[in-house]
Amino acid sequence: AQKITQTQPGMFVQEKEAVTLDCTYDTSDPSYGLFWYKQPSSGEMIFLIYQGSYDQQNATEGRYSLNFQKARKSANLVISASQLGDSAMYFCAMRVSNTGNQFYFGTGTSLTVIP
Amino acid sequence: DSGVTQTPKHLITATGQRVTLRCSPRSGDLSVYWYQQSLDQGLQFLIQYYNGEERAKGNILERFSAQQFPDLHSELNLSSLELGDSALYFCASSVGTGNNWEKLFFGSGTQLSVL
């Protein structure tokens, strides 16, 4: 069965500091994609970053980087130099081709950036 | 702006009623997905259409139905509404059938309140 686990329901970080949001996944398929989405209080879901299971390097997108540890089945999101606008819910998701290409979402982590 | 348009943004209705949610995917995207987000259930996949055909089905109730039209817009019909159907309903689109690398682009959602 495919599963995404986010164990941190809430996180706090000081402005300008870095923060890591944890995500572990479970799949027996060697081919999968991992995604992070941000959901601010306004409600929309915003794509942040993608990592393919065969990618050799960790993905980076501006202040976002994905710490991909395949053996541990973890795909943690690192936000550097946190800003007040980073306060939001963050969802980790996985897509596995042999399961009908469905997206599996974690339960999310609420991040609050403190001035 | 993700390019995915959802209407209406808010919908308030009574139990037993029927509503229709509408979604226009990003230009060029052939797949449309519907998700339900509630506080206790998280993000639940309902259904996916690809180029007019149903592609995958998730936890969609029999009271709910969807379709994708030739112009690729999609509608989600919710009938015999119950209080528990109150949730944020997202539409998302992607370019193809759902390869591992295809990210989902989400609309801003329809907040449904059943009173």
Side-chain angles (χ1 to χ4, degrees):
Chain A
Q2 329 300 321
K3 190 175 181 182
I4 289 279
T5 303
Q6 294 180 256
T7 57
Q8 306 155 312
M11 291 279 288
F12 292 86
V13 63
Q14 205 75 38
E15 195 177 6
K16 299 180 186 176
E17 297 291 311
V19 63
T20 298
L21 306 184
D22 293 342
C23 172
T24 58
Y25 60 92
D26 189 19
T27 180
S28 57
D29 198 298
S31 177
Y32 50 89
L34 296 160
F35 303 78
W36 278 90
Y37 282 84
K38 171 185 178 181
Q39 186 178 35
S41 57
S42 51
E44 74 270 30
M45 294 282 284
I46 302 166
F47 166 75
L48 295 178
I49 196 166
Y50 160 81
Q51 179 86 42
S53 60
Y54 294 119
D55 292 344
Q56 295 297 312
Q57 292 191 323
N58 287 342
T60 60
E61 291 283 351
R63 294 186 299 110
Y64 304 109
S65 61
L66 201 152
N67 184 0
F68 181 44
Q69 298 186 44
K70 199 168 183 176
R72 298 179 64 182
K73 293 191 174 181
S74 74
N76 298 339
L77 176 70
V78 181
I79 305 174
S80 62
S82 296
Q83 302 172 356
L84 295 178
D86 294 334
S87 294
M89 280 290 288
Y90 289 81
F91 292 93
C92 180
M94 175 174 65
R95 179 166 239 176
V96 182
S97 58
N98 73 352
T99 61
N101 304 309
Q102 289 191 36
F103 251 69
Y104 297 89
F105 282 91
T107 52
T109 295
S110 176
L111 177 67
T112 302
V113 180
I114 304 166
Chain B
D1 183 4
S2 67
V4 179
T5 304
Q6 276 190 260
T7 56
K9 289 194 184 302
H10 303 278
L11 201 48
I12 301 174
T13 188
T15 54
Q17 295 297 305
R18 172 189 167 95
V19 297
T20 297
L21 313 183
R22 184 189 167 100
C23 169
S24 293
R26 280 190 334 151
S27 176
D29 284 358
L30 298 178
S31 273
V32 169
Y33 306 73
W34 287 97
Y35 283 85
Q36 178 193 59
Q37 186 180 33
S38 58
L39 285 174
D40 56 343
Q41 295 286 328
L43 266 162
Q44 296 287 314
F45 168 67
L46 296 179
I47 198 163
Q48 177 200 357
Y49 281 84
Y50 173 74
N51 205 19
E53 300 290 325
E54 184 182 303
R55 177 79 179 177
K57 213 170 205 178
N59 302 319
I60 189 166
L61 300 171
E62 285 192 11
R63 300 184 285 110
F64 296 180
S65 64
Q67 55 182 326
Q68 187 180 28
F69 295 87
D71 67 352
L72 301 178
H73 91 271
S74 178
E75 292 181 357
L76 178 67
N77 299 297
L78 315 176
S79 61
S80 303
L81 285 167
E82 302 173 359
L83 296 177
D85 297 328
S86 295
L88 184 57
Y89 289 84
F90 281 111
C91 167
S93 72
S94 70
V95 61
T97 57
N99 297 300
N100 290 348
W101 49 264
E102 284 181 38
K103 54 183 172 273
L104 297 184
F105 293 90
F106 283 82
S108 54
T110 294
Q111 181 66 57
L112 174 66
S113 299
V114 182
L115 305 178

Short mmCIF file of all heavy atoms in Angstrom, two decimals, chain A residues 21-42:
data_model
loop_
_atom_site.label_atom_id
_atom_site.label_comp_id
_atom_site.label_asym_id
_atom_site.label_seq_id
_atom_site.Cartn_x
_atom_site.Cartn_y
_atom_site.Cartn_z
N LEU A 21 10.68 20.29 7.37
CA LEU A 21 9.39 19.62 7.55
C LEU A 21 9.55 18.17 7.11
O LEU A 21 10.00 17.91 5.99
CB LEU A 21 8.31 20.32 6.71
CG LEU A 21 8.15 21.82 6.95
CD1 LEU A 21 6.98 22.37 6.14
CD2 LEU A 21 7.99 22.14 8.42
N ASP A 22 9.16 17.26 7.99
CA ASP A 22 9.43 15.85 7.74
C ASP A 22 8.35 15.18 6.91
O ASP A 22 7.16 15.51 7.01
CB ASP A 22 9.53 15.10 9.08
CG ASP A 22 10.74 15.52 9.89
OD1 ASP A 22 11.67 16.11 9.30
OD2 ASP A 22 10.75 15.26 11.09
N CYS A 23 8.79 14.23 6.10
CA CYS A 23 7.88 13.43 5.30
C CYS A 23 8.51 12.07 5.06
O CYS A 23 9.66 11.99 4.61
CB CYS A 23 7.60 14.12 3.96
SG CYS A 23 6.66 13.11 2.78
N THR A 24 7.79 11.03 5.39
CA THR A 24 8.23 9.69 5.02
C THR A 24 7.17 9.06 4.15
O THR A 24 5.99 9.42 4.22
CB THR A 24 8.49 8.80 6.25
OG1 THR A 24 7.29 8.73 7.02
CG2 THR A 24 9.62 9.34 7.09
N TYR A 25 7.60 8.15 3.30
CA TYR A 25 6.67 7.55 2.37
C TYR A 25 6.87 6.04 2.34
O TYR A 25 7.92 5.54 2.77
CB TYR A 25 6.84 8.16 0.98
CG TYR A 25 8.23 7.97 0.41
CD1 TYR A 25 8.54 6.87 -0.40
CD2 TYR A 25 9.24 8.90 0.67
CE1 TYR A 25 9.80 6.69 -0.91
CE2 TYR A 25 10.51 8.73 0.15
CZ TYR A 25 10.80 7.63 -0.64
OH TYR A 25 12.06 7.45 -1.14
N ASP A 26 5.88 5.37 1.82
CA ASP A 26 5.96 3.92 1.74
C ASP A 26 5.41 3.48 0.39
O ASP A 26 4.26 3.75 0.08
CB ASP A 26 5.17 3.27 2.87
CG ASP A 26 5.41 1.77 2.94
OD1 ASP A 26 6.42 1.30 2.38
OD2 ASP A 26 4.57 1.06 3.53
N THR A 27 6.23 2.84 -0.37
CA THR A 27 5.81 2.23 -1.62
C THR A 27 6.81 1.15 -1.98
O THR A 27 8.00 1.26 -1.65
CB THR A 27 5.72 3.27 -2.76
OG1 THR A 27 5.30 2.61 -3.96
CG2 THR A 27 7.05 3.97 -3.01
N SER A 28 6.33 0.14 -2.66
CA SER A 28 7.23 -0.92 -3.11
C SER A 28 7.61 -0.71 -4.58
O SER A 28 8.43 -1.46 -5.11
CB SER A 28 6.56 -2.28 -2.94
OG SER A 28 5.32 -2.31 -3.63
N ASP A 29 7.03 0.28 -5.20
CA ASP A 29 7.35 0.56 -6.59
C ASP A 29 8.64 1.36 -6.67
O ASP A 29 8.80 2.33 -5.92
CB ASP A 29 6.21 1.36 -7.23
CG ASP A 29 6.25 1.33 -8.73
OD1 ASP A 29 7.24 1.81 -9.33
OD2 ASP A 29 5.29 0.80 -9.34
N PRO A 30 9.55 0.99 -7.57
CA PRO A 30 10.81 1.74 -7.67
C PRO A 30 10.66 3.09 -8.37
O PRO A 30 11.55 3.93 -8.30
CB PRO A 30 11.70 0.80 -8.50
CG PRO A 30 10.74 0.00 -9.31
CD PRO A 30 9.52 -0.17 -8.47
N SER A 31 9.52 3.29 -9.05
CA SER A 31 9.33 4.51 -9.81
C SER A 31 8.21 5.34 -9.19
O SER A 31 7.05 4.91 -9.18
CB SER A 31 8.99 4.17 -11.26
OG SER A 31 8.74 5.34 -12.00
N TYR A 32 8.56 6.50 -8.69
CA TYR A 32 7.56 7.35 -8.05
C TYR A 32 8.04 8.81 -8.06
O TYR A 32 9.21 9.09 -8.31
CB TYR A 32 7.27 6.90 -6.60
CG TYR A 32 8.51 6.70 -5.76
CD1 TYR A 32 9.05 7.75 -5.03
CD2 TYR A 32 9.13 5.46 -5.69
CE1 TYR A 32 10.20 7.57 -4.27
CE2 TYR A 32 10.28 5.27 -4.93
CZ TYR A 32 10.81 6.32 -4.22
OH TYR A 32 11.94 6.13 -3.47
N GLY A 33 7.11 9.68 -7.82
CA GLY A 33 7.43 11.09 -7.72
C GLY A 33 6.99 11.62 -6.37
O GLY A 33 5.97 11.20 -5.83
N LEU A 34 7.75 12.54 -5.83
CA LEU A 34 7.44 13.14 -4.53
C LEU A 34 7.26 14.64 -4.71
O LEU A 34 8.02 15.28 -5.44
CB LEU A 34 8.57 12.86 -3.54
CG LEU A 34 8.77 11.38 -3.22
CD1 LEU A 34 10.15 11.12 -2.65
CD2 LEU A 34 7.69 10.89 -2.27
N PHE A 35 6.26 15.18 -4.07
CA PHE A 35 5.89 16.58 -4.26
C PHE A 35 5.64 17.23 -2.90
O PHE A 35 5.23 16.58 -1.94
CB PHE A 35 4.58 16.69 -5.06
CG PHE A 35 4.63 16.02 -6.41
CD1 PHE A 35 4.51 14.65 -6.52
CD2 PHE A 35 4.76 16.78 -7.56
CE1 PHE A 35 4.54 14.02 -7.76
CE2 PHE A 35 4.78 16.16 -8.80
CZ PHE A 35 4.68 14.79 -8.91
N TRP A 36 5.85 18.53 -2.86
CA TRP A 36 5.43 19.33 -1.71
C TRP A 36 4.53 20.45 -2.21
O TRP A 36 4.84 21.10 -3.23
CB TRP A 36 6.63 19.94 -0.98
CG TRP A 36 7.28 18.99 -0.02
CD1 TRP A 36 8.30 18.12 -0.27
CD2 TRP A 36 6.94 18.82 1.36
NE1 TRP A 36 8.62 17.42 0.87
CE2 TRP A 36 7.81 17.84 1.89
CE3 TRP A 36 6.00 19.42 2.22
CZ2 TRP A 36 7.76 17.43 3.22
CZ3 TRP A 36 5.96 19.01 3.53
CH2 TRP A 36 6.83 18.02 4.03
N TYR A 37 3.45 20.66 -1.44
CA TYR A 37 2.51 21.73 -1.73
C TYR A 37 2.36 22.60 -0.49
O TYR A 37 2.44 22.12 0.64
CB TYR A 37 1.14 21.17 -2.13
CG TYR A 37 1.07 20.67 -3.54
CD1 TYR A 37 1.49 19.36 -3.86
CD2 TYR A 37 0.59 21.47 -4.57
CE1 TYR A 37 1.43 18.90 -5.15
CE2 TYR A 37 0.53 21.00 -5.87
CZ TYR A 37 0.95 19.72 -6.15
OH TYR A 37 0.90 19.25 -7.44
N LYS A 38 2.07 23.86 -0.74
CA LYS A 38 1.84 24.83 0.34
C LYS A 38 0.39 25.29 0.26
O LYS A 38 -0.12 25.58 -0.83
CB LYS A 38 2.77 26.03 0.15
CG LYS A 38 2.52 27.21 1.06
CD LYS A 38 3.45 28.37 0.68
CE LYS A 38 3.20 29.59 1.54
NZ LYS A 38 4.09 30.73 1.14
N GLN A 39 -0.27 25.33 1.41
CA GLN A 39 -1.64 25.84 1.44
C GLN A 39 -1.73 26.97 2.45
O GLN A 39 -1.83 26.75 3.66
CB GLN A 39 -2.63 24.73 1.81
CG GLN A 39 -4.08 25.18 1.71
CD GLN A 39 -5.07 24.07 2.02
OE1 GLN A 39 -4.83 23.21 2.85
NE2 GLN A 39 -6.20 24.07 1.32
N PRO A 40 -1.68 28.21 2.00
CA PRO A 40 -1.83 29.34 2.92
C PRO A 40 -3.26 29.43 3.42
O PRO A 40 -4.13 28.68 2.97
CB PRO A 40 -1.44 30.56 2.06
CG PRO A 40 -1.53 30.11 0.65
CD PRO A 40 -1.43 28.62 0.62
N SER A 41 -3.49 30.35 4.32
CA SER A 41 -4.82 30.47 4.93
C SER A 41 -5.89 30.82 3.90
O SER A 41 -7.08 30.57 4.13
CB SER A 41 -4.79 31.51 6.04
OG SER A 41 -4.35 32.75 5.54
N SER A 42 -5.49 31.37 2.79
CA SER A 42 -6.46 31.69 1.73
C SER A 42 -7.01 30.44 1.06
O SER A 42 -8.03 30.49 0.38
CB SER A 42 -5.82 32.60 0.68
OG SER A 42 -4.59 32.04 0.24
#
